[in-house]
Amino acid sequence: MKSAAARGLGYAHRQQRERLLRKHVDGNPCYWCGRPLYRDPAQNWDGNALHADHTIARSQGGTVADRLVHDLCNKQRQDGRNDHLRPAVTGINVADARAVDDQLGLRLMPWP
Ligand SMILES: [Zn+2]
């Protein structure tokens, strides 16, 4: 697995994430799934720490991480091309990765 720096998520990104976390109000909804976001990873539906997301995906030229989302939501969002199909809009249970994958027409994980 590539390091954060190798993926382009280096010091500046970590600073942006820290800034977002300082401003964050626990319970605010996630852009992708609509569920509440918490600083405490154990309170998040996926049990993971929040990720700093780029409204304009990095692959589309975005350089600023400007909002927090869940870890797994960030992975499902990918480059944002399926934002109109996000679970917050469709009502699909984001924890059901296969259902979201089917909705998005992609496979994030190799299913047997
Ligand atoms: Zn989410």
Side-chain angles (χ1 to χ4, degrees):
M1 182 174 162
K2 287 196 281 190
S3 71
R7 296 196 310 268
L9 298 175
Y11 178 76
H13 181 77
R14 289 197 298 275
Q15 291 294 102
Q16 287 168 349
R17 180 174 177 275
E18 289 301 314
R19 198 172 304 131
L20 290 168
L21 280 170
R22 273 198 301 277
K23 288 191 304 184
H24 176 67
V25 177
D26 273 347
N28 278 357
C30 171
Y31 168 79
W32 183 257
C33 73
R35 295 191 197 188
L37 299 162
Y38 298 102
R39 282 191 190 80
D40 177 9
Q43 289 187 269
N44 291 319
W45 71 266
D46 61 358
N48 295 329
L50 300 178
H51 274 230
D53 182 41
H54 299 69
T55 297
I56 301 172
R58 288 190 298 131
S59 62
Q60 309 295 326
T63 57
V64 179
D66 52 0
R67 66 183 167 203
L68 295 169
V69 296
H70 298 108
D71 175 25
L72 294 185
C73 294
N74 196 29
K75 291 181 172 68
Q76 288 181 343
R77 180 170 180 252
Q78 298 192 325
D79 65 1
R81 84 182 73 151
N82 293 311
D83 277 4
H84 60 296
L85 296 175
R86 67 190 186 274
V89 172
T90 62
I92 287 177
N93 183 352
V94 72
D96 185 345
R98 192 190 294 252
V100 174
D101 287 355
D102 286 346
Q103 180 72 19
L104 300 183
L106 50 83
R107 284 284 178 268
L108 298 177
M109 287 179 281
W111 295 100

